[in-house]
Amino acid sequence: MRIDALGLRDACANRRDSLVEATAGLARIESPSGDEAALGHCADAIAALLDGAGAPVERVPRSGAGAHLRATIGSGSRQVLLLGHFDTVWPIGTLAQMPVAIRDGRLHGPGTFDMKAGLAIAILAVTVARPHLRDLRVRCLFTTDEEIGSGTSRDLIEDEARASAAVLVFEPALPGGVLKTARKGVGTYRLDVRGISAHAGIAPEAGASAITELALQILAMHALQAPERGTTINAGVVAGGSRSNVVAEHAQAEIDVRVSEADEQARIEQAFAALAPHDPRVRLAWQGGFERPPLERGPHVQRLFALAREAGETLGLDVREGATGGASDGNFTAALGVPTLDGLGAIGDGAHARHEHVEIASLSDRAALAAAILLAIDARA
Ligand SMILES: [Zn+2]
């Protein structure tokens, strides 16, 4: 089968209006993480799109998270997983200040770029690829809690990934449509420090300052950074103490850790666990840890990207790759050793920002590219 002879770009371009409509329709249904009712409404709309593509939808309910959506297209012996999420970071009511609207060739609105356009692109991709599939079964898994760490969906994602020859993630593309073949892993920690309070003037020696200890701990963490390997540590929130004339009994910090390499994740985990108080009268209590391992550009990722690049060439598209410091559910699947390609969603800008939008002209080619990648994987059996 010659992918270039299938007219995938035209087939997708002919459906551009419905692609824009689908994205706008989903963006008009606000769906913040954790709001089960709102997520349910959005799930209904996505299920209708999947139904329209001939993919019966199964709901996988999880307490506090609504229901994740799973759908299968085709019945081949090899599975490819299309991964996405429909929760957003935008609270209910955002639409009033940030309405879904088309201006200057861009579709604006909350969740358009991250990542409701990606879902519409994925669904169109399977729709146009479907008649040409030979031995491939396409599994769609669209989840409700990616923006809050995927606590209720991680097991599902990993189970589906283990059963898959490849995972395609429809998160937003890098500028210009560049695919993501490396993502950092993310750790979120909270450090609680308990010292001993005392009068700062009368008996300072009786006290053990939680704030001084925390400051020293932050410097110790800072010294663990290795930016040349992609490892950075940010104490982004600190609090503590009660009054200036009181030696502080409590202090706390919230810390974000980013790593590019799994070895670095292990090094930081061990180093944090070994951090001891400078003042033996002070107690340290850690919470949290790594939510997502890094998506490393290993041979499994490189091979899938090479195939995507070739598939793009058959369509006349120049497909390139890049890295990002943000994590996604693709981090889970790549860490299992399953070939994973991320950033297959829309071209646009403003994820989690007021100017969030997608470039309308590019949407249909994104679907054509994903369809071509599916067919190339199928042909590579
Ligand atoms: Zn996202």
Side-chain angles (χ1 to χ4, degrees):
M1 174 183 53
R2 290 175 50 90
I3 291 174
D4 55 350
L6 299 176
L8 294 174
R9 287 183 79 176
D10 287 342
C12 291
N14 290 338
R15 297 173 192 238
R16 180 176 297 156
D17 289 349
S18 62
L19 191 50
V20 174
E21 240 170 72
T23 305
L26 295 181
R28 285 196 189 98
I29 308 172
E30 295 178 307
S31 53
S33 320
D35 186 331
E36 292 195 78
L39 289 162
H41 292 308
C42 196
D44 290 343
I46 296 165
L49 294 174
L50 285 164
D51 268 340
V57 178
E58 179 196 349
R59 285 176 165 77
V60 187
R62 289 291 158 94
S63 169
H68 307 301
L69 296 180
R70 196 157 57 180
T72 310
I73 296 95
S75 55
S77 66
R78 297 161 69 236
Q79 173 166 304
V80 169
L81 178 61
L82 309 190
L83 200 51
H85 66 88
F86 55 95
D87 60 323
T88 75
V89 297
W90 299 105
I92 297 287
T94 300
L95 280 172
Q97 289 94 44
M98 209 177 137
V100 175
I102 293 175
R103 287 192 301 277
D104 305 327
R106 295 168 167 176
L107 176 65
H108 294 257
T112 48
F113 185 46
D114 185 12
M115 54 163 279
K116 287 173 172 173
L119 301 179
I121 287 167
I123 294 169
L124 178 55
V126 270
T127 304
V128 301
R130 178 175 202 162
H132 312 294
L133 293 178
R134 295 180 320 164
D135 191 32
L136 212 60
R137 175 175 85 241
V138 183
R139 191 81 138 155
C140 297
L141 179 61
F142 298 155
T143 62
T144 62
D145 63 352
E146 194 273 345
E147 297 290 2
I148 53 172
S150 306
T152 76
S153 57
R154 181 175 182 170
D155 61 333
L156 278 178
I157 292 164
E158 292 185 336
D159 284 351
E160 292 295 344
R162 284 191 195 96
S164 299
V167 180
L168 306 179
V169 188
F170 287 80
E171 290 279 358
L174 290 168
V178 173
L179 302 183
K180 296 170 177 174
T181 54
R183 281 183 179 273
K184 288 194 177 185
V186 184
T188 309
Y189 288 85
R190 180 187 155 112
L191 174 58
D192 277 281
V193 183
R194 174 175 283 256
I196 299 168
S197 62
H199 193 298
I202 298 170
E205 69 288 347
S209 170
I211 289 178
T212 303
E213 182 65 42
L214 179 59
L216 293 168
Q217 292 296 332
I218 289 173
L219 291 176
M221 283 183 250
H222 204 259
L224 294 168
Q225 297 189 106
E228 71 287 355
R229 296 186 71 177
T231 305
T232 55
I233 298 173
N234 179 55
V237 180
V238 292
S242 55
R243 289 174 173 274
S244 64
N245 61 356
V246 177
V247 175
E249 185 176 11
H250 289 115
Q252 70 208 38
E254 291 171 35
I255 300 123
D256 178 287
V257 185
R258 305 273 160 164
V259 296
S260 297
E261 303 167 16
D263 291 353
E264 282 290 284
Q265 177 180 336
R267 180 178 71 84
I268 296 297
E269 285 171 331
Q270 284 162 19
F272 274 21
L275 284 174
H278 295 74
D279 184 329
R281 298 172 296 166
V282 175
R283 294 282 167 268
L284 306 180
W286 291 90
Q287 284 175 50
F290 271 82
E291 289 160 13
R292 292 190 174 92
L295 191 170
E296 294 190 80
R297 190 181 174 280
H300 61 319
V301 172
Q302 292 175 40
R303 277 195 301 274
L304 183 56
F305 173 75
L307 178 143
R309 185 165 166 76
E310 269 175 44
E313 270 166 19
T314 65
L315 302 181
L317 300 172
D318 181 25
V319 177
R320 280 173 292 157
E321 62 178 319
T324 174
S328 85
D329 288 337
N331 289 51
F332 295 137
T333 64
L336 293 173
V338 182
T340 298
L341 202 51
D342 203 338
L344 284 155
I347 298 173
D349 197 7
H352 303 195
R354 286 279 155 197
H355 64 290
E356 179 165 7
H357 65 265
V358 297
E359 306 282 350
I360 290 172
S362 68
L363 288 175
S364 68
D365 272 349
R366 300 304 281 176
L369 173 63
I373 294 170
L374 284 174
L375 296 174
I377 295 170
D378 197 17
R380 200 61 66 88

